[in-house]
């Protein structure tokens, strides 16, 4: 059985109006890169992924592989977020109010990405549910802490590494 991959990103910023010409202002650049890392393959979209972006004003943007007409560049992706703020709705994107704690309560098992955790290679991933921090990091969260290595990676790059790791698990056992 292949489980849905779930990436939960805890953002330390509010989801509020922003300029498409200045994505780094509210770190929408980081948010957009997480979307691209979670879903985009070369000419394809990963269907088995769910990305939960938890903003700190209790707004959640939940994206699934049902998204259409999104391109992998940051500006195209950010355009969807701008649309959400203007009341537009899209296939594969849910937008609602919930706190980060509400979101993690949904999952019995999850892994907290932490540079100082246990090496991912030593762990058998039961359910691929991962919590990742933004540039300001994560608070101390009760859960299984896993590390991708001794260096501190960007949140979006953690997603790429995890996706590739899970691809390997599936590929090798196929
Ligand atoms: C840019 S890093 C956070 C940097 C922040 N200044 C800190 O020290 O916590 C973003 C997130 O990626 C994850 N991360 C970064 N490097 C990692 C690693 N080597 N192993 C596991 N997770 C990592 C963590 O969840 C982290 O909160």
């Amino acid at each position: 059985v292949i489980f849905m991959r779930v990436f939960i990103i805890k953002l330390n910023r509010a989801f509020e109006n922003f300029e498409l010409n200045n994505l780094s202002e509210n770190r929408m650049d980081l948010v957009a890169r997480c979307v691209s890392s979670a879903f985009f393959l070369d000419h394809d979209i990963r269907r088995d992924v769910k990305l939960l972006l938890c903003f700190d004003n209790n707004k959640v943007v939940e994206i699934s592989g049902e998204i259409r007409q999104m391109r992998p560049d940051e500006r195209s992706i950010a355009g969807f977020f701008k649309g959400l703020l203007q009341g537009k709705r899209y296939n594969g994107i849910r937008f609602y109010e919930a706190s980060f704690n509400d979101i993690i309560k949904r999952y019995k098992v999850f892994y907290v990405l932490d540079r100082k955790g246990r090496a991912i290679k030593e762990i058998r991933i039961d359910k691929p549910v991962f919590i990742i921090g933004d540039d300001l990091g994560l608070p101390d969260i009760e859960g299984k802490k896993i590390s991708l290595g001794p260096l501190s990676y960007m949140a979006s790059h953690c997603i790429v590494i995890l996706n590739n790791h899970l691809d390997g698990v599936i590929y090798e056992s196929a």
Side-chain angles (χ1 to χ4, degrees):
V1 183
I2 296 170
F3 289 104
M4 196 77 168
R5 302 173 182 187
V6 181
F7 300 108
I8 302 170
I9 317 295
K10 185 181 189 307
L11 298 157
N12 287 291
R13 294 174 181 87
F15 187 40
E16 56 192 19
N17 201 22
F18 65 92
E19 289 298 322
L20 278 177
N21 286 328
N22 189 12
L23 294 183
S24 57
E25 191 183 319
N26 206 18
R27 295 317 310 268
M28 288 307 292
D29 61 326
L30 179 158
V31 171
R33 281 197 296 272
C34 285
V35 177
S36 126
S37 300
F39 292 101
F40 285 93
L41 292 164
D42 182 31
H43 296 291
D44 206 358
I45 279 186
R46 292 181 184 273
R47 303 288 167 202
D48 58 347
V49 169
K50 187 146 88 171
L51 176 68
L52 288 140
L53 296 153
C54 303
F55 291 87
D56 83 352
N57 55 346
N58 286 355
K59 305 266 192 251
V60 176
V61 177
E62 180 177 321
I63 307 181
S64 75
E66 309 290 299
I67 37 171
R68 305 269 175 276
Q69 264 140 23
M70 192 183 266
R71 286 176 282 109
D73 62 285
E74 289 171 33
R75 197 185 164 90
S76 162
I77 296 167
F80 282 74
F81 285 81
K82 189 132 185 111
L84 288 177
L85 287 167
Q86 294 165 343
K88 293 189 189 138
R89 292 298 175 259
Y90 305 98
N91 257 353
I93 305 185
R94 293 180 60 215
F95 177 32
Y96 53 90
E97 298 227 353
S99 69
F100 171 71
N101 287 330
D102 293 336
I103 297 296
I104 62 176
K105 267 188 234 142
R106 287 185 193 166
Y107 299 96
K108 276 201 210 91
V109 179
F110 55 73
Y111 299 89
V112 181
L113 271 285
D114 184 329
R115 199 164 54 86
K116 302 204 174 91
R118 277 188 65 192
I120 190 167
K121 284 181 195 144
E122 291 171 11
I123 285 169
R124 203 183 136 259
I125 304 290
D126 291 326
K127 293 260 168 68
V129 179
F130 305 99
I131 299 178
I132 305 171
D134 65 4
D135 56 310
L136 301 175
L138 285 173
D140 196 20
I141 298 167
E142 193 79 36
K144 298 177 187 166
K145 299 202 168 67
I146 57 167
S147 174
L148 304 174
L151 304 179
S152 183
Y153 298 115
M154 298 201 289
S156 56
H157 291 178
C158 290
I159 298 175
V160 172
I161 296 167
L162 288 167
N163 262 332
N164 180 256
H165 179 81
L166 296 168
D167 293 343
V169 169
I170 292 162
Y171 179 82
E172 281 158 23
S173 63

